[in-house]
Amino acid sequence: MAEMIVTPWEVKGEIDYDKLLLEFGLKRIDEKLKKRLQKKLGDNIFLRRGIFFAHRDLDWLLDEYDKKNYFYLYTGRGPSGHTHLGHLLPWIFTKELQDAYNTKLVFQLTDDEKFLFSSTLSVGDVEKFTNENILDIIAVGFDPKKTEIYTDMRNAKDFYPQAVRVAKHITFSTAKAVFGFENDSNIGKIFFTSMQAVPAFIESVNKGKNVPCLIPHAIDQDPHFRVTRDILPKLGYYKPSSIQCKFIPGLGKDGKMSSSEPETCIFTIDTSKDIERKIKKAFTGGRESLEEQKKLGGNPDICPIYQYFYNLFEEDDEKLEDRFRRCKNGKLMCGECKQDLIPRVQKFMKEHQERREKAKKLVSKFLVK
Ligand code: TYM
């Protein structure tokens, strides 16, 4: 089995979420908490299927909400390339939270991060992807009256004075221990987590009073917020709460969907033909031959195609279960399963792309000047 690596910059191997939960010190979303969220969110697929599965201090945040101490949301994107399906998942959930709780959202684009951590991207490249990614963020459907998009470099005037307050409390040895930096890591990398901490308290700074914050994200980003949570009380702010999802896998074997392997990745700019080609070539949980598959059945547990139905493309639990069963029993072949998925992903992306086109006229409504 490939070794599991999960950091904000690298996710590899077969991911053992139970182990990560323990290693990171996260809490599982239990039935009670799930029901509490479902009261507002309704029968949400991401909660029902345990896709959003872990948290930090979410119960505290909801207690505060009940006391009318309302929270805001904060999430983000590192603009290192085009947006893919995996990035959309936490954003879709964030939109559902925004609608259900009627909250403000602060969205951060870490253009500085992607320049500092890449060996190939120039500042200009990152700026280009920032503009592209902004269209995807808007296309998710966030409320323009309640959403502010910041980019670290363009909004440095707001961000930098706050980031230095955080940085003063983080030693090099903490950064090394949490993120694995070495002595030859560039010093921008070592500073960077201070920038990702800022939106977790920027609303408190702007409002001049403490405002609770909830950060939805996939589990890879948690190390940043572990550090943030240690520092913010020292500056007089609340620790941010967070809620974590699992990863949508790439179309290859093991690991999350990642732009570094474009053929295993479904991007929001992909054409219907791209989508068809990539899905047809995808790794599956199928057997070597049709005969074997009929005799022994497939393995949906390791199959990215099944995961796509599970995460986004089959809302109906009974139909999903039926697909699982037919695969296991050797009744459903991989080719047929892929053919079922292709039009669903194509439709999803076509609709996203239509909204993405319209987003071009809306950008100024979302950006913080
Ligand atoms: P980035 O751009 O790598 O990812 C953006 C968001 O997508 C999540 N994610 C995924 N979720 C499900 N399946 C996948 N395959 C997948 N790949 C990525 C990430 O966890 C993230 O939530 N440094 C950050 C940007 C950032 C941020 C934040 C993210 C700044 N502030 C606050 C979350 C919350 C980054 O590079 O994310």
Side-chain angles (χ1 to χ4, degrees):
M1 195 189 295
E3 190 204 351
M4 173 175 83
I5 301 174
V6 178
T7 77
W9 303 286
E10 189 179 19
V11 177
K12 266 203 182 133
E14 192 173 322
I15 296 157
D16 180 341
Y17 288 102
D18 290 334
K19 196 168 156 206
L20 272 184
L21 221 67
L22 281 177
E23 264 177 27
F24 285 5
L26 295 163
K27 282 212 177 125
R28 192 177 286 285
I29 297 177
D30 61 16
E31 275 308 305
K32 200 171 143 212
L33 192 52
K34 189 157 75 178
K35 290 225 167 76
R36 216 171 156 189
L37 289 167
Q38 281 169 333
K39 263 195 189 156
K40 279 277 186 188
L41 284 159
D43 186 18
N44 184 281
I45 179 173
F46 300 123
L47 288 174
R48 187 172 82 230
R49 297 207 177 137
I51 297 164
F52 268 85
F53 74 112
H55 75 103
R56 290 185 187 274
D57 281 348
L58 186 52
D59 21 26
W60 169 81
L61 183 107
L62 296 178
D63 288 346
E64 290 301 305
Y65 182 87
D66 288 344
K67 289 187 243 161
K68 300 198 175 1
N69 186 17
Y70 299 125
F71 63 89
Y72 71 104
L73 291 158
Y74 154 39
T75 197
R77 162 75 180 138
S80 55
H82 281 291
T83 303
H84 64 55
L85 208 53
H87 303 129
L88 291 181
L89 192 150
W91 301 351
I92 294 170
F93 186 64
T94 303
K95 176 188 153 39
E96 289 172 8
L97 286 168
Q98 180 176 59
D99 291 346
Y101 289 91
N102 194 19
T103 53
K104 175 167 176 177
L105 165 67
V106 172
F107 202 113
Q108 177 185 39
L109 281 130
T110 51
D111 44 3
D112 52 346
E113 174 193 17
K114 293 301 152 175
F115 173 66
L116 290 164
F117 282 82
S118 163
S119 53
T120 53
L121 293 174
S122 65
V123 169
D125 296 333
V126 172
E127 289 304 293
K128 185 190 105 189
F129 287 127
T130 298
N131 295 334
E132 292 287 335
N133 292 173
I134 286 171
L135 300 179
D136 291 307
I137 296 160
I138 295 173
V140 169
F142 295 114
D143 182 342
K145 292 199 190 75
K146 294 202 194 76
T147 305
E148 288 177 350
I149 301 179
Y150 289 88
T151 70
D152 288 355
M153 293 203 273
R154 295 175 194 172
N155 297 100
K157 202 163 163 282
D158 297 318
F159 269 43
Y160 190 68
Q162 303 308 328
V164 292
R165 297 173 70 201
V166 178
K168 201 165 183 174
H169 292 275
I170 306 174
T171 62
F172 182 31
S173 56
T174 298
K176 273 205 269 196
V178 176
F179 300 108
F181 298 137
E182 305 284 353
N183 281 351
D184 65 355
S185 302
N186 74 54
I187 57 173
K189 288 185 181 180
I190 297 155
F191 174 79
F192 168 71
T193 195
S194 325
M195 291 297 280
Q196 189 151 328
V198 172
F201 65 104
I202 193 111
E203 189 67 1
S204 301
V205 172
N206 291 340
K207 286 262 154 66
K209 68 174 180 108
N210 260 339
V211 188
C213 173
L214 174 62
I215 315 174
H217 59 90
I219 197 164
D220 59 337
Q221 296 296 315
D222 179 68
H224 286 299
F225 303 119
R226 246 163 28 227
V227 175
T228 306
R229 283 168 52 87
D230 281 347
I231 309 298
L232 293 202
K234 295 181 186 164
L235 301 178
Y237 302 112
Y238 294 133
K239 289 183 179 193
S241 299
S242 56
I243 181 164
Q244 288 80 20
C245 66
K246 299 178 180 172
F247 301 113
I248 289 203
L251 290 162
K253 198 167 179 279
D254 283 343
K256 69 163 188 146
M257 184 172 283
S258 161
S259 322
S260 56
E261 291 177 58
E263 276 302 294
T264 67
C265 221
I266 294 174
F267 294 102
T268 56
I269 55 148
D270 278 350
T271 62
S272 286
K273 272 199 173 148
D274 293 329
I275 292 169
E276 184 176 1
R277 183 189 69 250
K278 289 179 183 182
I279 294 180
K280 277 189 172 161
K281 280 198 304 194
F283 168 80
T284 68
R287 302 278 171 182
E288 290 281 302
S289 68
L290 276 184
E291 263 161 44
E292 258 190 63
Q293 176 106 352
K294 281 183 189 157
K295 205 160 92 198
L296 302 168
N299 185 357
D301 291 319
I302 60 158
C303 180
I305 302 295
Y306 177 73
Q307 279 300 316
Y308 291 6
F309 285 112
Y310 188 92
N311 280 278
L312 286 169
F313 298 106
E314 182 54 86
E315 287 256 357
D316 185 321
D317 286 352
E318 271 179 34
K319 287 187 182 157
L320 185 74
E321 232 173 83
D322 180 58
R323 183 174 296 281
F324 186 89
R325 222 178 306 114
R326 284 190 301 128
C327 170
K328 279 250 176 210
N329 294 343
K331 297 267 186 303
L332 178 64
M333 299 299 117
C334 297
E336 185 187 339
C337 203
K338 285 178 171 179
Q339 282 304 341
D340 292 343
L341 182 66
I342 290 166
R344 295 186 199 196
V345 181
Q346 287 170 330
K347 178 169 180 280
F348 175 94
M349 276 309 173
K350 197 168 165 276
E351 287 168 5
H352 180 86
Q353 284 161 4
E354 281 163 12
R355 292 193 302 273
R356 197 179 189 278
E357 207 37 52
K358 289 191 188 133
K360 290 179 180 164
K361 292 208 179 83
L362 302 173
V363 173
S364 64
K365 289 192 177 4
F366 286 87
L367 297 189
V368 180
K369 295 279 159 20

